[in-house]
Amino acid sequence: MENTDVHRKCTILQSEALQEYILETSAYPREHEQLKEIREVTIQKYGFRSTMLVPADEGQFLSMLLKIINPKKTLELGVFTGYSLLATALALPDDGKGGGEHGMELFDFAFVDADKPNYIHYHERLMKLVKIGGVIAYDNTLWHGSVAVDEEEAPEIFRDGRRAIMDLNTYLASDLRIEMSQISIGDGITLCRRIR
Ligand SMILES: C[S@@+](CC[C@H](N)C(=O)[O-])C[C@H]1O[C@@H](n2cnc3c(N)ncnc32)[C@H](O)[C@@H]1O
């Protein structure tokens, strides 16, 4: 398998050819040079583990979303080699700030792509750290499609994450403090907008 093929094969779409079409036609030609470099170096260094990076089409979606939100302050949980963090940084306005603590000012946007069993804890923390009207995006909320099959049908390596993500999805759907939307891109992102 070619290095870049690992990314094409990790798709929740039923057709790998369709994922390839999306990446080749819309995402790779528009991918920022430095993002491309991070992706290539991560593939070389980490092989299959590089599939932890958000795919290029999801990076493009995050970038578009951020430009629409125009956040002043963003937070990311789960950085790895920094692909999604750089995609965020490149989309921030000139006076935007990403990353660490900046006093008591609340965040406008948070991207969560870390340890799945802790997502519900992170959600509770983020409901205090993200301002009303702010957006939290949870990555991997379709967990390789395993959320839609019985546990015994899911590959064993996905099972712990599958349970954690299914619990999160149910939790978010019943949380009246947010509006939410499940987006079927990458491995699934759930967008939550804090309303109270
Ligand atoms: C899926 S990768 C993130 C990929 C990244 N968002 C990207 O697209 O470039 C998950 C990362 O979360 C980190 N991680 C896992 N548990 C964590 C924790 N409790 N706190 C902070 N980072 C954590 C892992 O070490 C790994 O670097």
Side-chain angles (χ1 to χ4, degrees), residues 133-164:
V135 173
I136 308 165
Y138 292 100
D139 197 31
N140 306 106
T141 52
L142 296 176
W143 202 234
H144 312 276
S146 68
V147 292
V149 300
D150 291 337
E151 181 164 303
E152 50 284 7
E153 275 179 65
E156 200 151 338
I157 50 158
F158 292 154
R159 286 188 192 164
D160 289 348
R162 171 185 172 277
R163 175 50 51 201

Side-chain angles (χ1 to χ4, degrees), residues 50-86:
S50 66
T51 55
M52 289 208 294
L53 296 185
V54 298
D57 55 336
E58 181 179 333
Q60 199 172 37
F61 170 74
L62 284 174
S63 171
M64 176 71 81
L65 177 70
L66 285 157
K67 286 182 179 179
I68 294 166
I69 296 174
N70 198 30
K72 295 287 176 281
K73 206 177 151 188
T74 68
L75 175 70
E76 176 161 315
L77 300 180
V79 172
F80 191 36
T81 55
Y83 186 97
S84 53
L85 189 64
L86 180 61

Side-chain angles (χ1 to χ4, degrees), residues 69 105-109 126-136 176-179 192-196:
I69 296 174
E105 202 186 335
L106 296 178
F107 293 91
D108 305 288
F109 178 82
L126 288 168
M127 290 306 291
K128 296 187 176 74
L129 292 171
V130 171
K131 61 177 64 161
I132 291 177
V135 173
I136 308 165
L176 300 179
R177 298 168 298 176
I178 54 166
E179 293 170 338
C192 303
R193 180 172 171 270
R194 186 178 166 205
I195 52 170
R196 60 175 73 114

